[in-house]
Amino acid sequence: MFSMTIMKGRLTENPVLRKKIKGSQESLWSSFRLAVNRERDRDSNGQSPADFFDCIVFGKRAEFLAKYGQKGTVLLVSGRLEMGTYTNQDNIKIPTVRLFVKTLEFCYGWKSSSEETAPERQHTHAQDYPIDDKEYTREFVQDEEYDMPVL
């Protein structure tokens, strides 16, 4: 079986790079939410409603996104969707869907967090960076024991 999803949307907030330390292993990751417009559904004002997808990216791609991504940046991402659940405070199981990103690409011009443009990198893809081929799972993300933001 094979699962591949491709989405294009805007970051809803600035991504935060996180580090997970488990034993002697250290992994970098970042989670973010992508707002994806529904192209064919328009309201009376001509606006497209958006769907919001939770995404997670690992390794060098996470570093790349945290360094150059900011709220409003348009991204083209691909990866696998994974279903899961969590139990809310009323003890009700809530279904969740998350995209585990394998590739990401900045669309249009983009700026670093210091507002400097990087014209020579306008079309650079995060997949140009070395690939971290580990298979990350929902359990990796939910295990927050050694999870910390990278400053």
Side-chain angles (χ1 to χ4, degrees):
M1 297 291 160
F2 183 78
S3 170
M4 175 63 75
T5 302
I6 300 170
M7 294 183 205
K8 181 180 176 184
R10 293 188 183 274
L11 288 173
T12 61
E13 59 190 28
N14 293 339
V16 175
L17 185 63
R18 297 185 173 278
K19 184 188 320 186
K20 182 159 206 126
I21 302 170
K22 195 152 195 170
S24 63
Q25 283 191 311
E26 183 178 296
S27 298
L28 296 173
W29 66 284
S30 181
S31 61
F32 59 95
R33 183 165 282 169
L34 204 61
V36 180
N37 286 344
R38 296 183 206 162
E39 281 299 318
R40 297 190 180 163
D41 297 337
R42 302 248 182 222
D43 63 16
S44 59
N45 297 328
Q47 299 291 319
S48 295
D51 293 310
F52 296 86
F53 294 92
D54 292 323
C55 304
I56 187 161
V57 62
F58 297 93
K60 294 289 184 182
R61 290 183 181 94
E63 287 183 84
F64 183 83
L65 180 63
K67 183 174 181 180
Y68 296 109
Q70 57 189 348
K71 181 179 179 176
T73 300
V74 179
L75 294 178
L76 180 65
V77 298
S78 67
R80 77 178 194 287
L81 282 177
E82 190 172 302
M83 299 286 298
T85 60
Y86 74 91
T87 305
N88 69 8
Q89 57 193 10
D90 298 327
N91 210 23
I92 298 172
K93 285 194 173 191
I94 307 295
T96 62
V97 177
R98 182 176 282 166
L99 179 71
F100 282 74
V101 175
K102 284 293 223 181
T103 65
L104 67 92
E105 179 178 338
F106 286 82
C107 301
Y108 313 121
W110 50 274
K111 298 178 180 179
S112 69
S113 57
S114 64
E115 298 299 318
E116 296 173 4
T117 58
E120 71 281 1
R121 309 280 287 169
Q122 288 287 336
H123 301 290
T124 298
H125 305 184
Q127 62 260 28
D128 293 341
Y129 285 75
I131 295 174
D132 183 359
D133 281 332
K134 296 178 191 171
E135 276 299 314
Y136 294 98
T137 63
R138 183 169 295 278
E139 290 75 30
F140 174 88
V141 177
Q142 289 176 337
D143 178 14
E144 297 179 4
E145 183 178 351
Y146 299 103
D147 182 26
M148 63 191 79
V150 175
L151 301 176

